Amino acid sequence: MHIFKTPHELKADLNRTQTLSNARHLLRTLIVFAVSVLSISGEALADQNYSQQVFFENSLSPRSYFYSTGTISAPSTLELIDGKLPVETSDFISGPNALVLQWQSMPNGGWDAEINLYTWRNRNVDFSGDSLFLWLYAKDGVRAADLPKIALRDLNRNFTAQLSIGSFTEDLAPGRWTRVRIPLARFLSASLHNFEPQRLAAIILAQGAADGSAHTLYIDDIRVENAEQNNQHTPATPKNIEAKGYERHIDLKWNAEPDPAVAQYVIYRSMHGEPFRAISVQRYGVNRFTDYVGDPHTTASYKISARSSSLQESQLSAAVMASTHPMTDDELLTMVQEASFRYYWEAAEPNSGMTRENTPGDDDVIALGASGFGIMAMVVGADRSFVSREEVVDRLLRITDFLSRADRYHGVWPHFLSGKTGHGLAVFGIYDDGADLVETSFLLQGLLTARQYFNGDNEKERRLRGNITELWQAVDWDWFRATPGKDALYWHWSPDYAFHIANRLQGWNEVMITYLLAIASPTHPAPASLYHTGYTAEGTNHTYGERHTYYGIQLDMNYGPGSPGPLFFTHYSYMGYDPRGWRDKYANYFTNNRNEALVSQAYGLANPLHREGYGADSWGITAVDGPKGYREYKPFTEDDGTIAPTGAISSYAYTPQQSLQALKHFYRDLGAQLWDIYGFRDAFNQQQNWYSGITMGLNQAPMVVMIENGRTGLVWRNFMSNSEMAHIQQTIGLTPDENK
């Protein structure tokens, strides 16, 4: 008989267990952590310092800086592009661009310009320095008395009185960059509540002396640092530079000594025999750079230096050379897979080996679902020899060892864990402090795929399979049938607040895999009837399986009034689970998923809202962080012009021709803004001239995995070969369907 305990009793049991095992786990954890830090790339260590120091480095958007605004009061003038500050691409400190402030200050007029902080997901806005630093450049020089005034605002919209920038510098010499330091203590609060400099969110530049003259000022590399930080230290030169050419870009990587004095690595390039010139920078700790040259028939040479924020610079490295070349469709697909795979391999959290929620971001936040997706990407990486099979096994042993020690509730992990401690992180609020069944199912989808793929008869692979089996069998799926009727699974459970969130899992959405795994469990299964009473929600007021036709394409699943679901619904549950050849009474899910992708492409071609850049080769609407944060983008009802490459490219298993068409456009036509070290950027919006500056753990792996499923069926084949999954379709009552 199953005995149900109260949340407080369960928490007490957990505390007693942890007390008894803390001593042996402490030593083991310290050893694992030391080994982990040494064996995972140093790239994983740097984002948090970057987040806490850099206010502005460069603009991802061409022509103007998205996170800026300007206002003009005639007769004064200020140059703006679509209401934003222009960018300069010829002269800069932190390439490839700088901000342009071009103004004329007149009596009885005014102007102001805001430079806003890019507060990406989980950014820890905690500037710890004592001074604001700005690099300024005026081709024709500017008198200190004629420089703008400056004020600051924090995240809570508290603000300061204005200061004159000219009070902190001499006249700017023509054609020379000058670094200006303004002590934060000099900014006095002018708002109702005190301004908090460590939470700096905006810099407001405004008209100073009304001298009637036209001025142009470039502004770059804005940081908050301590006044004497790293001023005299000369960093060591990066070593072991490698360069590899692809069709339109050249990929660089290097080794560099750990050195907190380093602010940036500077990329120098020479083409056609011209002298080397700085073209861009990479943040400290990320030892890789992508140079998108756009030409499939060119050769370039590169050198790299390391420098401090005050421009104390190492000697340049030895030169390396690489050439671009035309690539076949298969080569392009592999290129996207390998670059996306690197996110899970090179940017992993160093102690756990698991996937960070996003980067840049909070270094310590690892995501369960993204880690499961990353494990499937690692299977692809091993199979395509991006890294060796043994290296992947070692990484997965680290991950499974960490997971065995991490917080779990009835065998289920939280959505987010601290990579340092293994404790849950309640990122979504006070009630989200316990188990997350859906994210756990995404994780197990990856682990079970790996259990089948790594089937070697050797000690490490046997141990890995044993680890995965123990984790899988410990999940008590039946516990999450929360209601008295026990007719559905629930998403969250908290040791302090029980089922407070009360999020019943019912489709059409991303959670089909949760029901399949719950029913397939060999130890704590949910009854097969839950697929019907829970996921398809028969006998409730929930509408499932409404058929609609869009652009002549029939969908068996509709999400809300008048819209298909976001495309991630067709990816997350079907990265391991193979939907081909089976149907329930509502749909063949392979056919439905293919048609959702075709509708998304047709919507892009029709472009009913006239969004810039949409077309047959530019589609992929799905839930993603857009210009104004996270939104569940859907055709017809939720569309501001934001496209996520993962939407179209992760549909490759369903629509190879259409997805490849989008891939080529994203890479060949938009690659200068869209292609980066981990493949395609998370999202973009040409309507608003916005490009995401982060990489998301949930979005890169689906491209790796679903491309592979479309090419070879590798991940589908391995996941479905688990004995527990072999008859899952028959168990839940699906029937064979030849319409694939």
Side-chain angles (χ1 to χ4, degrees):
M1 184 172 107
H2 190 81
I3 299 174
F4 293 92
K5 296 186 178 183
T6 69
H8 294 291
E9 289 172 331
L10 289 164
K11 190 172 184 180
D13 287 348
L14 178 63
N15 288 339
R16 283 193 293 271
T17 301
Q18 289 175 337
T19 299
L20 292 172
S21 60
N22 272 349
R24 65 176 183 272
H25 280 176
L26 177 60
L27 179 59
R28 184 181 181 188
T29 300
L30 290 172
I31 293 171
V32 169
F33 178 75
V35 173
S36 299
V37 170
L38 292 174
S39 58
I40 287 188
S41 168
E43 298 172 31
L45 305 175
D47 288 344
Q48 202 57 49
N49 287 337
Y50 175 80
S51 297
Q52 293 173 348
Q53 294 175 0
V54 176
F55 188 91
F56 170 83
E57 191 172 61
N58 55 62
S59 171
L60 292 176
S61 303
R63 304 185 304 280
S64 63
Y65 184 48
F66 179 82
Y67 300 98
S68 68
T69 59
T71 303
I72 307 163
S73 301
S76 296
T77 64
L78 176 69
E79 182 181 358
L80 299 171
I81 298 177
D82 296 327
K84 302 181 185 301
L85 290 177
V87 296
E88 162 64 29
T89 58
S90 297
D91 290 293
F92 45 73
I93 292 292
S94 299
N97 51 50
L99 299 175
V100 178
L101 195 69
Q102 186 170 328
W103 77 91
Q104 187 174 21
S105 296
M106 304 294 291
N108 301 316
W111 60 264
D112 58 79
E114 285 194 19
I115 307 168
N116 294 295
L117 183 69
Y118 177 16
T119 52
W120 53 70
R121 178 187 290 242
N122 295 327
R123 179 165 188 172
N124 184 12
V125 182
D126 184 20
F127 292 104
S128 57
D130 60 22
S131 299
L132 178 69
F133 288 90
L134 310 91
W135 284 96
L136 305 179
Y137 173 98
K139 184 177 181 180
D140 300 320
V142 177
R143 292 192 314 149
D146 296 332
L147 287 169
K149 293 181 179 179
I150 185 171
L152 308 179
R153 189 175 64 235
D154 66 25
L155 286 175
N156 292 324
R157 304 197 68 80
N158 304 311
F159 53 88
T160 74
Q162 290 181 326
L163 296 174
S164 172
I165 295 177
S167 300
F168 302 91
T169 182
E170 298 178 348
D171 295 348
L172 299 185
R176 189 178 73 190
W177 283 96
T178 300
R179 198 180 198 207
V180 177
R181 170 186 168 249
I182 306 177
L184 290 172
R186 296 290 297 274
F187 288 97
L188 302 179
S189 291
S191 51
L192 177 62
H193 300 290
N194 286 336
F195 168 73
E196 299 178 79
Q198 72 276 12
R199 294 172 59 79
L200 176 63
I203 296 172
I204 299 97
L205 305 173
Q207 175 166 314
D211 63 345
S213 298
H215 298 287
T216 300
L217 185 69
Y218 300 160
I219 306 171
D220 201 5
D221 205 66
I222 305 173
R223 295 172 180 265
V224 176
E225 296 181 341
N226 289 322
E228 298 181 359
Q229 180 173 329
N230 307 328
N231 283 335
Q232 302 302 321
H233 177 74
T234 300
T237 303
K239 299 177 180 178
N240 304 321
I241 318 300
E242 297 180 22
K244 182 177 180 180
Y246 294 84
E247 186 181 273
R248 306 292 171 102
H249 77 279
I250 293 173
D251 196 67
L252 302 171
K253 64 178 181 178
W254 60 89
N255 294 333
E257 297 178 7
D259 184 352
V262 174
Q264 300 163 325
Y265 303 108
V266 187
I267 315 302
Y268 290 83
R269 183 181 69 195
S270 170
M271 301 181 72
H272 313 298
E274 298 174 348
F276 282 89
R277 58 179 291 268
I279 59 166
S280 195
V281 297
Q282 183 59 277
R283 65 184 183 272
Y284 169 71
V286 180
N287 299 344
R288 186 181 288 276
F289 178 80
T290 288
D291 182 24
Y292 188 88
V293 296
D295 184 348
H297 304 282
T298 195
T299 298
S301 297
Y302 298 89
K303 297 181 180 181
I304 301 174
S305 72
R307 74 179 182 197
S308 69
S309 58
S310 59
L311 304 194
Q312 296 293 320
E313 189 167 1
S314 73
Q315 293 183 346
L316 298 185
S317 70
V320 293
M321 180 183 296
S323 300
T324 56
H325 55 88
M327 296 175 70
T328 66
D329 289 354
D330 272 351
E331 288 172 330
L332 288 171
L333 289 168
T334 302
M335 176 191 78
V336 171
Q337 287 181 291
E338 183 174 15
S340 301
F341 158 81
R342 288 188 197 128
Y343 178 74
Y344 306 91
W345 195 251
E346 296 181 353
E349 193 283 321
N351 181 45
S352 64
M354 294 179 67
T355 302
R356 284 175 168 143
E357 166 76 346
N358 55 277
T359 184
D362 189 310
D363 285 349
D364 193 40
V365 178
I366 54 177
L368 262 291
S371 294
F373 295 172
I375 290 167
M376 288 183 275
M378 290 181 206
V379 168
V380 177
D383 203 66
R384 291 199 170 269
S385 299
F386 300 154
V387 292
S388 73
R389 182 184 180 102
E390 185 175 5
E391 286 177 297
V392 176
V393 170
D394 287 341
R395 177 68 65 84
L396 293 180
L397 284 171
R398 177 183 307 165
I399 288 172
T400 54
D401 286 345
F402 175 84
L403 287 169
S404 71
R405 304 187 306 271
D407 284 353
R408 276 187 287 177
Y409 307 92
H410 301 280
V412 174
W413 294 274
H415 189 141
F416 299 107
L417 291 171
S418 162
K420 295 176 183 176
T421 68
H423 294 317
L425 299 173
V427 173
F428 293 145
I430 188 171
Y431 301 115
D432 185 36
D433 66 339
D436 188 307
L437 194 66
V438 174
E439 294 296 312
T440 293
S441 68
F442 293 158
L443 174 67
L444 286 168
Q445 188 177 200
L447 287 171
L448 290 174
T449 299
R451 187 179 71 170
Q452 293 305 108
Y453 181 82
F454 294 104
N455 57 6
D457 187 18
N458 59 71
E459 189 276 332
K460 285 187 176 180
E461 294 195 22
R462 286 194 299 270
R463 182 158 68 89
L464 175 61
R465 294 194 297 273
N467 287 357
I468 293 170
T469 298
E470 287 183 12
L471 296 172
W472 157 234
Q473 292 183 352
V475 177
D476 186 354
W477 303 89
D478 196 56
W479 171 263
F480 290 83
R481 298 163 65 197
T483 63
K486 296 188 177 299
D487 60 346
L489 296 172
Y490 279 70
W491 197 311
H492 307 90
W493 182 84
S494 160
D496 294 320
Y497 301 103
F499 289 103
H500 174 94
I501 296 179
N503 190 345
R504 178 186 172 105
L505 298 186
Q506 53 193 25
W508 165 244
N509 51 30
E510 72 271 35
V511 307
M512 184 177 185
I513 190 66
T514 311
Y515 277 94
L516 297 183
L517 289 172
I519 294 165
S521 169
T523 51
H524 305 285
S529 60
L530 244 63
Y531 177 80
H532 306 283
T533 61
Y535 183 62
T536 64
E538 295 173 9
T540 71
N541 293 328
H542 177 68
T543 301
Y544 185 87
E546 275 193 358
R547 291 182 176 177
H548 288 265
T549 299
Y550 304 97
Y551 305 114
I553 303 166
Q554 179 179 299
L555 295 183
D556 294 326
M557 295 293 131
N558 202 54
Y559 185 66
S563 176
L567 282 173
F568 80 91
F569 286 4
T570 70
H571 304 148
Y572 289 4
S573 279
Y574 307 99
M575 292 168 67
Y577 173 67
D578 183 354
R580 295 174 296 178
W582 294 85
R583 64 169 298 120
D584 61 16
K585 66 182 181 181
Y586 302 101
N588 175 312
Y589 289 93
F590 181 87
T591 301
N592 179 79
N593 295 351
R594 179 185 61 203
N595 288 349
E596 281 215 15
L598 292 174
V599 168
S600 187
Q601 185 199 37
Y603 178 85
L605 181 61
N607 195 10
L609 299 180
H610 308 290
R611 302 305 189 195
E612 184 174 347
Y614 280 23
D617 58 0
S618 189
W619 56 279
I621 295 180
T622 189
V624 73
D625 285 6
K628 295 182 179 180
Y630 178 85
R631 288 171 65 178
E632 195 173 74
Y633 293 107
K634 302 180 291 291
F636 307 106
T637 61
E638 189 78 14
D639 170 22
D640 66 359
T642 298
I643 290 175
T646 190
I649 296 171
S650 299
S651 298
Y652 181 85
Y654 311 123
T655 54
Q657 180 181 350
Q658 295 84 353
S659 296
L660 187 59
Q661 186 179 4
L663 184 157
K664 290 178 178 178
H665 171 62
F666 296 155
Y667 179 67
R668 291 174 174 169
D669 302 327
L670 303 178
Q673 273 70 53
L674 281 190
W675 188 262
D676 200 24
I677 59 174
Y678 303 128
F680 289 112
R681 294 193 182 278
D682 200 56
F684 67 101
N685 188 314
Q686 290 180 276
Q687 180 78 17
Q688 301 182 45
N689 192 29
W690 174 87
Y691 298 85
S692 175
I694 64 171
T695 302
M696 282 285 297
L698 283 173
N699 292 341
Q700 301 307 101
M703 291 187 277
V704 182
V705 173
M706 295 303 272
I707 286 175
E708 194 62 36
N709 280 333
R711 297 175 85 179
T712 68
L714 173 74
V715 182
W716 280 341
R717 184 169 62 253
N718 278 278
F719 178 78
M720 297 304 294
S721 69
N722 281 280
S723 60
E724 299 93 332
M725 303 306 299
H727 304 290
I728 189 63
Q729 293 99 336
Q730 297 98 317
T731 301
I732 63 176
L734 302 190
T735 57
D737 186 357
E738 294 181 358
N739 181 20
K740 295 183 179 181

